[in-house]
Amino acid sequence: MSVPVLNHDRLFRLVGTFHAAYARCIDDEGGTAWPEFFDEECLYLVTTEDNHRAGMSAGLIYAEGRGMLKDRITALKEANIYEQHGYRHLLGQPSIGVVKGDVIPVETSFLVARIMRTGETSIFATGRYLDQFVMGGDRLLLRERRVVCDSKQIDTLLALPL
Amino acid sequence: MAHLDKAIEAPSQWEPGLVTRVPYWVFQREDVYAREQERIYQGDSWNYLCLEAEIPTPGDFVATKIGDQPVIITRGNDGEIYGFENRCAHRGALLALTDRGHVKDFTCVYHAWTYSLEGDLTGVAFEDGINGKGGMPDTFCKAKHSPRKMRVTSLFGLVFGSFSNDVPAIEEYLGDEVLGRVERVLGGRKPVVIGRFTQMLPNNWKLYFENVKDSYHASILHLFFTTFEINRLSQKGGIIVSPDGGNHVSFSAIDADAARDDNYASQKLRSESDLQLADPSLLDGFDDFGDGGTLQILSVFPGFVLQQIQNSLAVRQILPRGTEQTELNWTYLGFDTDTPEQRKVRLKQANLIGPAGFVSMEDGCVGGFVQRGIAGAPELASVMEMGGDGTGSSESRVTEASIRGFWKAYRREMAL
């Protein structure tokens, strides 16, 4: 599907709306619908700036296709054991690149606070989303999201997606 | 050195030689930590540093640590590997300020003292002063001032270092059986780094090393394993513990006959759901080593792990960061012979490991649960009698023999 002619302001608002819904899904709605923000054929990768710069292909999370995203949510809900915690995503203003074919490249900074069951709130991760959006009907979908964390260090575990 | 023998005034007795009980104070006390630095990391141990593949050409270096001690590992001008402290002999500043790189030499940023790739002091800024004034005295001899050098050794491309002149060669240190299991994974192959991640653990380093050696917990704590039948204790497998206790291997292979049994149902373990993967290609792999082995976790005292979980290969470096924090450095591996399809399998199966790993995320937390759980009970002790009180190899993985082996080695090295 080709990208309809959208002026920058309209695209900016669409991406902003997408980011807000994505963050709400993970932070406030349990993440069940998280895979639906992605195209059926997609890549979701969580990595670090060091790895990204060095061209390292392995990720902390590597999902190809919506099925693998669903499996991550299923595993978190049904199989994996971890202490209860939540995130609060704060997303920066999206920087929208040049549309190529049906792909809209967007880069957005993020800051994620983690709130533990025991009460500690800490900055868990900062970084940027390197996104490739496509239009799915009248809404945006992620063809690719590379979550590039600024720090090489992850505290304790990365369970919920970023 | 007299200070090595400072007594540890323990809040409870630890009966000499006992390895079925470990008092909780060993995970809590600063004096224990200090002795570990001196007797283990600076003592008769081999410490994993990096892969040869990370320093292929002269001038390449990696900066890491042995315990608290910052060190540099280089490929020297003669093609050999060198290791020395990451510390200027002048005033003690770090020489390398990045984790890795390529240099002609190391120049301290503070006063520009310069060291060769082999760790020798080669230049002192203003050594002769300026216009005949100032400068170092004539008696100053550069050859007598350099960071302490380490013994370094390479084992199938893994680089280990030691500050001890007494520790036996790495092959003897590992023992024949563990050595053979390193060769199984790396012998004749060239590993390629495909990712590096650091995980900070909220617990004493020994709690993580115990966890690595704990073949009993794997299919109980890690439900992803059992739910999707990647690994069960009833698979063919076993554990190997090196004669000195410090090194171990836990391994398994597919045993079709045991794939469906009722041991788990009868133990009321939480693994009887009928969950299916939406994308089962996660578990589609290939036989990396031609022997059907699906899992091999290998550890070397005091802080190295070589891991094969299906086609997910990694080395892990365990570094202490005070009594209640541990740095776990993951290096994810492939081989230079990987086809694009095989590499894709490794990328997918990397989801099993690391801080977000389907089968390893619990390991990042459980040490913290112990550290917090024992906070008020330094004088009490853990109980490790699964499989008896021995430290030998066994065909059963329902045993804590390899953890007891660790404590045997630990008590010996610590004189505790």
Side-chain angles (χ1 to χ4, degrees):
Chain A
M1 191 176 304
S2 63
V3 181
V5 180
L6 293 170
N7 67 35
H8 180 273
D9 287 355
R10 170 90 178 113
L11 204 47
F12 189 85
R13 288 224 311 275
L14 271 179
V15 173
T17 304
F18 179 96
H19 281 340
Y22 181 98
R24 193 187 326 111
C25 171
I26 294 170
D27 295 351
D28 303 307
E29 294 167 359
T32 309
W34 174 65
E36 292 162 26
F37 289 86
F38 291 80
D39 198 13
E40 191 65 42
E41 301 291 317
C42 61
L43 174 72
Y44 174 77
L45 176 77
V46 180
T47 187
T48 67
E49 184 62 32
D50 284 354
N51 283 286
H52 179 70
R53 205 181 300 129
M56 298 284 185
S57 48
L60 290 163
I61 301 176
Y62 179 98
E64 261 189 16
R66 205 185 270 163
M68 286 187 77
L69 299 172
K70 286 181 183 160
D71 287 336
R72 184 142 292 264
I73 296 298
T74 308
L76 289 176
K77 290 188 185 303
E78 305 292 338
N80 287 116
I81 310 296
Y82 51 93
E83 206 165 12
Q84 188 190 332
H85 65 280
Y87 290 160
R88 181 63 58 199
H89 282 72
L90 299 178
L91 305 186
Q93 300 286 341
S95 170
I96 297 170
V98 178
V99 175
K100 281 186 196 145
D102 62 346
V103 174
I104 309 157
V106 178
E107 181 172 334
T108 309
S109 62
F110 65 81
L111 183 151
V112 177
R114 185 180 61 187
I115 304 92
M116 297 302 297
R117 170 187 75 85
T118 42
E120 296 96 340
T121 299
S122 61
I123 295 177
F124 178 62
T126 65
R128 53 195 174 128
Y129 293 137
L130 301 182
D131 293 334
Q132 296 196 354
F133 284 101
V134 293
M135 293 302 297
D138 59 351
R139 62 189 288 243
L140 290 170
L141 290 173
L142 284 166
R143 172 73 52 83
E144 183 175 306
R145 168 157 282 186
R146 290 174 188 268
V147 182
V148 181
C149 297
D150 294 325
S151 172
K152 63 179 180 178
Q153 225 166 264
I154 290 287
D155 180 61
T156 310
L157 91 162
L158 174 67
L160 310 172
L162 293 168
Chain B
M1 288 191 282
H3 64 283
L4 287 184
D5 299 320
K6 235 186 298 184
I8 286 175
E9 308 229 344
S12 65
Q13 284 298 308
W14 193 5
E15 187 186 316
L18 186 68
V19 291
T20 55
R21 296 288 184 280
V22 175
Y24 294 137
W25 52 260
V26 302
F27 303 108
Q28 299 167 326
R29 293 176 63 101
E30 298 288 347
D31 53 359
V32 172
Y33 186 85
R35 191 188 278 195
E36 287 167 353
Q37 296 302 317
E38 292 173 356
R39 297 194 81 112
I40 293 178
Y41 297 105
Q42 306 270 343
D44 296 338
S45 62
W46 281 111
N47 296 271
Y48 172 75
L49 301 168
C50 64
L51 297 160
E52 275 209 60
E54 294 177 286
I55 47 170
T57 53
D60 291 345
F61 76 92
V62 166
T64 180
K65 291 191 176 183
I66 292 184
D68 284 342
Q69 171 73 60
V71 296
I72 299 174
I73 303 89
T74 66
R75 181 74 66 172
N77 287 311
D78 59 358
E80 298 295 312
I81 300 169
Y82 292 85
F84 48 91
E85 294 171 316
N86 184 4
R87 187 183 64 237
C88 182
H90 176 215
R91 299 270 291 277
L94 291 171
L95 292 172
L97 296 173
T98 55
D99 291 343
R100 62 195 69 250
H102 181 88
V103 292
K104 288 201 306 289
D105 50 35
F106 293 93
T107 300
C108 180
V109 296
Y110 202 172
H111 303 90
W113 285 32
T114 301
Y115 301 85
S116 68
L117 295 173
E118 295 77 28
D120 298 315
L121 178 61
T122 55
V124 170
F126 304 122
E127 185 175 4
D128 300 324
I130 296 176
N131 297 329
K133 292 177 181 159
M136 297 295 281
D138 294 339
T139 53
F140 180 74
C141 175
K142 289 202 284 288
K144 289 184 179 166
H145 297 270
S146 63
R148 284 187 299 167
K149 294 178 184 178
M150 288 179 279
R151 281 173 73 188
V152 292
T153 191
S154 177
L155 182 77
F156 303 114
L158 304 168
V159 180
F160 289 83
S162 179
F163 284 107
S164 167
N165 290 318
D166 301 324
V167 68
I170 189 81
E171 292 81 3
E172 188 185 333
Y173 183 85
L174 290 182
D176 287 343
E177 281 192 284
V178 175
L179 179 64
R181 289 285 177 159
V182 177
E183 184 172 17
R184 171 180 175 268
V185 177
L186 294 172
R189 296 184 180 85
K190 193 162 176 252
V192 176
V193 176
I194 60 172
R196 292 188 189 92
F197 300 100
T198 295
Q199 186 177 6
M200 298 305 290
L201 306 176
N203 53 264
N204 188 275
W205 67 276
K206 300 187 290 298
L207 291 172
Y208 184 75
F209 210 41
E210 278 193 315
N211 172 273
V212 167
K213 289 171 176 286
D214 181 354
S215 52
Y216 172 33
H217 86 282
S219 62
I220 300 170
L221 176 65
H222 304 308
L223 295 186
F224 192 86
F225 258 155
T226 48
T227 303
F228 299 104
E229 296 183 358
I230 300 172
N231 174 39
R232 289 187 174 222
L233 291 178
S234 52
Q235 282 193 324
K236 273 194 305 190
I239 62 160
I240 298 164
V241 185
S242 65
D244 80 333
N247 316 310
H248 105 292
V249 182
S250 175
F251 62 95
S252 68
I254 295 286
D255 182 353
D257 295 338
R260 294 242 163 244
D261 61 45
D262 50 20
N263 287 346
Y264 276 78
S266 65
Q267 293 298 312
K268 294 197 169 73
L269 299 177
R270 307 153 296 172
S271 57
E272 284 303 310
S273 65
D274 287 318
L275 282 183
Q276 298 293 312
L277 289 173
D279 184 352
S281 73
L282 177 72
L283 304 179
D284 291 344
F286 55 97
D287 193 358
D288 243 324
F289 308 110
D291 57 8
T294 51
L295 175 132
Q296 178 179 298
I297 304 293
L298 181 154
S299 71
V300 177
F301 185 89
F304 172 73
V305 181
L306 172 64
Q307 159 232 300
Q308 176 220 344
I309 300 174
Q310 305 243 58
N311 298 112
S312 162
L313 310 176
V315 295
R316 309 179 204 162
Q317 179 193 38
I318 302 165
L319 291 174
R321 287 287 169 270
T323 55
E324 298 199 353
Q325 198 174 43
T326 300
E327 178 180 323
L328 179 60
N329 290 312
W330 297 81
T331 305
Y332 295 8
L333 302 178
F335 293 121
D336 64 341
T337 52
D338 285 350
T339 64
E341 294 74 22
Q342 288 174 327
R343 185 60 57 83
K344 183 64 69 67
V345 168
R346 298 199 201 282
L347 297 180
K348 286 189 177 183
Q349 293 190 356
N351 283 294
L352 299 172
I353 64 166
F358 286 134
V359 297
S360 67
M361 79 168 71
E362 290 90 0
D363 294 326
C365 309
V366 77
F369 298 163
V370 175
Q371 194 80 45
R372 283 150 63 193
I374 64 178
E379 74 283 11
L380 299 183
S382 59
V383 177
M384 290 182 291
E385 296 188 37
M386 191 58 66
D389 61 3
T391 59
S393 302
S394 85
E395 287 179 12
S396 170
R397 287 184 294 150
V398 192
T399 176
E400 289 166 319
S402 38
I403 312 179
R404 291 189 290 269
F406 166 71
W407 290 108
K408 179 173 123 180
Y410 179 87
R411 298 196 70 169
R412 181 185 63 236
E413 297 306 317
M414 286 284 281
L416 191 65

